């Protein structure tokens, strides 16, 4: 196995589409992903996976049923399994995700936004 | 459980000592840690845990037996289980770590640098 460093900015420069996470690392049955977001996602939850959102650039709002949390670069939040949430990006946001390999982007809310087989870049 | 955002810079401002990781998040039996490094650590490996180093500020060198990788902010590396490595920081470096909760900082090389019970901040 080759052990190489990953430059997050370089990986982000490789794609332009929204709501389509790419895998940029794997460890301990977890994936490290990056994704660009713009607009509103769907309400969903993950029944078996906690999910971490770390903002790289832009401002990400995560709506919960009882509050909204706003995240700027170098800020993160951990959404525990079972908690409904909806990411909202008024302008483009780049995010790093850290979650189990089993995690589906739309959780329990499968739709045309669901991405089943993610690209590794 | 309260779901709050974490500001990495704010957490880093809470301590000044080196080689003493703090826990700032927990998900899926993994810990998110931050640590400040300066100087040379010890050669070690983790037999059962892959370990991710994400540089927040400064320049981190990670020595392997066959090469050296230099990491700058927003760059990371995943060190697979079983691979010997030695972090070296010529100047102060702040790093975020992702690794299983079972991970001991010095791995198989217990010494006075070993930190058994990490503070949660």
């Amino acid at each position: 196995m080759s052990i190489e460093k990953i430059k997050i900015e370089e990986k982000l420069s490789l794609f332009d589409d929204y709501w389509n996470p790419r895998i940029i690392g794997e460890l301990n049955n977890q994936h490290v992903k990056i994704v660009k977001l713009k607009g509103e996602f769907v309400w969903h939850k993950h029944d078996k996976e906690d999910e971490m959102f770390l903002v790289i650039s832009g401002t990400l709002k995560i709506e919960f049923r009882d509050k909204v949390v706003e995240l700027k670069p170098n800020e993160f939040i951990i959404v525990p399994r079972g908690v409904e949430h909806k990411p909202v990006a008024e302008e483009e946001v780049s995010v790093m995700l850290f979650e189990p390999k089993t995690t589906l982007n739309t959780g329990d809310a499968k739709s045309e936004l669901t991405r089943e087989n993610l690209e590794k870049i």
Side-chain angles (χ1 to χ4, degrees), chain A:
Chain A
M1 185 187 316
S2 85
I3 305 173
E4 303 292 342
K5 74 169 169 178
I6 305 292
K7 298 181 178 189
I8 296 171
E9 291 299 333
E10 190 177 288
K11 295 295 187 188
L12 283 168
S13 74
L14 298 178
F15 64 94
D16 288 316
D17 54 341
Y18 299 120
W19 308 107
N20 189 1
R22 265 71 169 187
I23 296 165
I24 61 168
E26 182 178 333
L27 72 165
N28 307 303
N29 288 316
Q30 316 291 308
H31 273 150
V32 183
K33 301 171 185 172
I34 49 174
V35 62
K36 294 182 181 181
L37 310 179
K38 192 172 182 184
E40 297 203 0
F41 204 53
V42 291
W43 280 104
H44 68 284
K45 60 183 165 61
H46 306 278
D47 288 327
K48 295 182 178 170
E49 298 104 348
D50 311 318
E51 189 171 35
M52 177 169 164
F53 295 79
L54 170 63
V55 172
I56 306 299
S57 68
T59 300
L60 175 64
K61 287 185 184 173
I62 299 192
E63 296 185 13
F64 297 97
R65 290 300 186 185
D66 61 345
K67 67 177 176 181
V68 179
V69 175
E70 190 174 287
L71 299 164
K72 292 185 179 293
N74 281 321
E75 299 179 354
F76 71 83
I77 198 165
I78 294 170
V79 180
R81 60 195 69 189
V83 173
E84 287 184 294
H85 58 287
K86 182 176 82 163
V88 176
E90 290 170 9
E91 303 294 335
E92 180 178 302
V93 183
S94 295
V95 178
M96 193 160 86
L97 303 168
F98 188 66
E99 55 195 18
K101 290 162 73 170
T102 50
T103 310
L104 197 61
N105 66 329
T106 52
D108 62 340
K110 281 200 178 187
S111 73
E112 74 281 3
L113 288 167
T114 300
R115 296 283 177 268
E116 301 262 8
N117 297 299
L118 303 185
E119 188 185 4
K120 295 188 186 188
I121 61 173

